[in-house]
């Protein structure tokens, strides 16, 4: 029988892994794609959580050889977690390359014929200790947020929550102008395209506001430290009028 050959998308430009909270690391890189028939290039983040010698990749990026070497120095990649239905370009590569367990929310579809090894459900098994899942109940597509019980509470989001005060070096000029007009570049923001596609209702954000957290790491933008809960509560009131 001939071996199965996978043609995974190549690694795109990215920065170094940096520790942003206790044993929680972030790397920012580029994303290329067609949206509305036009080419876009913008930035996205992968969060890495370390527990002992095991690593969990959340909103996974494919790293280049230097990035993989840096990742391997942190520990062994044991888990890959998909939180947002609109992400997933590099999940299959990371699962195959690292021999990792793949976690995703029920109802998600995945590239390269990938299937989840474990389902993420509220109150269920998690990839590491001190972690719980918040799942949106009113969205058209599955979306989740992890709350990590470190440093006063860290939310790890995908597209729903964003903190993108300004574009970075991974943007193409045309994309930056379009996204500026669409309202992407704000602090403590709700993802504009995600909101259009998913039409979430206020009740989800009322539940989310009840979580105890101080910081937010999202699939796009910069870390929001210390006052994240108050900042996003103000956004929820502004958007939903409650």
């Amino acid at each position: 029988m001939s071996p199965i050959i996978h043609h995974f998308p190549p690694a795109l430009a990215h920065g170094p892994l940096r520790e942003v909270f206790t044993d929680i690391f972030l790397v920012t890189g580029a994303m290329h794609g067609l949206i509305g028939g036009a080419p876009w290039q913008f930035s996205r983040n992968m969060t890495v959580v370390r527990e002992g010698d095991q690593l969990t990749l959340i909103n996974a990026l494919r790293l280049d050889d230097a990035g993989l070497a840096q990742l391997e120095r942190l520990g062994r990649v044991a888990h890959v977690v998909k939180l947002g239905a609109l992400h997933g370009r590099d999940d299959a590569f990371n699962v195959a390359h690292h021999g990792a367990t793949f976690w995703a929310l029920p109802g998600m579809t995945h590239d390269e014929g990938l299937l989840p090894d474990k389902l993420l459900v509220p109150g269920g098994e998690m990839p590491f200790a001190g972690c719980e899942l918040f799942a949106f109940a009113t969205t058209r597509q599955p979306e989740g947020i992890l709350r990590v019980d470190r440093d006063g509470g860290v939310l790890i989001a995908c597209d729903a929550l964003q903190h993108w005060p300004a574009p970075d070096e991974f943007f193409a000029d045309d994309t930056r102008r379009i996204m500026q007009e669409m309202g992407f570049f704000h602090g403590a923001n709700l993802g504009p395209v995600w909101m259009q596609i998913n039409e979430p209702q206020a009740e989800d954000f009322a539940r989310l506001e009840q979580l105890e957290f101080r910081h937010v790491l999202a699939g796009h933008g910069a870390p929001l430290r210390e006052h994240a809960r108050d900042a996003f509560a103000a956004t929820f009131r502004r958007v939903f009028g409650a």
Side-chain angles (χ1 to χ4, degrees):
M1 181 181 293
S2 299
I4 297 173
I5 299 175
H6 293 284
H7 297 284
F8 300 119
L12 302 175
H14 62 82
L17 283 154
R18 60 194 193 277
E19 189 168 16
V20 289
F21 299 108
T22 304
D23 280 332
I24 299 178
F25 304 82
L26 193 73
V27 57
T28 301
M31 178 61 186
H32 301 168
L34 289 174
I35 301 179
W40 284 41
Q41 179 183 317
F42 50 95
S43 65
R44 56 183 174 141
N45 298 324
M46 174 171 72
T47 300
V48 181
V49 177
R50 180 166 61 188
E51 181 182 48
D53 67 346
Q54 293 194 353
L55 305 178
T56 297
L57 310 185
I58 304 163
N59 305 325
L61 276 67
R62 179 173 180 174
L63 302 180
D64 59 23
D65 289 344
L68 287 170
Q70 186 185 11
L71 186 67
E72 289 164 6
R73 288 194 291 271
L74 296 179
R76 178 180 67 85
V77 176
H79 306 283
V80 172
V81 173
K82 180 175 180 176
L83 287 178
L86 300 177
H87 281 227
R89 173 191 188 272
D90 295 322
D91 288 339
F93 167 80
N94 281 289
V95 169
H97 181 80
H98 299 290
T101 299
F102 181 50
W103 302 67
L105 277 71
M108 285 181 164
T109 58
H110 312 285
D111 294 342
E112 302 288 339
L114 191 62
L115 295 173
D117 300 299
K118 304 262 190 180
L119 290 177
L120 286 168
V121 295
E125 183 183 1
M126 292 290 109
F128 54 89
C131 173
E132 62 180 306
L133 175 72
F134 173 92
F136 285 86
T138 67
T139 51
R140 293 181 179 274
Q141 297 177 327
E143 184 88 10
I145 294 173
L146 296 183
R147 180 192 176 275
V148 182
D149 191 17
R150 302 183 190 180
D151 294 285
V154 181
L155 295 191
I156 303 177
C158 187
D159 284 322
L161 307 183
Q162 297 181 3
H163 179 66
W164 227 341
D168 52 45
E169 69 270 26
F170 296 105
F171 275 77
D173 289 343
D174 288 348
T175 305
R176 183 177 64 249
R177 287 192 290 270
I178 292 170
M179 292 178 70
Q180 179 74 56
E181 294 170 358
M182 293 179 68
F184 274 89
F185 302 127
H186 295 282
N189 199 24
L190 305 181
V193 168
W194 181 84
M195 290 285 287
Q196 291 174 8
I197 292 172
N198 282 289
E199 299 181 357
Q201 302 301 303
E203 62 199 69
D204 274 334
F205 296 95
R207 288 192 300 116
L208 183 57
E209 191 178 342
Q210 299 308 307
L211 298 182
E212 292 290 334
F213 64 96
R214 290 170 55 189
H215 322 284
V216 166
L217 297 175
H220 303 283
L224 180 53
R225 302 175 185 270
E226 301 301 336
H227 64 282
R229 187 180 182 190
D230 289 342
F232 274 104
T235 298
F236 303 159
R237 288 192 294 272
R238 174 176 56 81
V239 173
F240 296 101

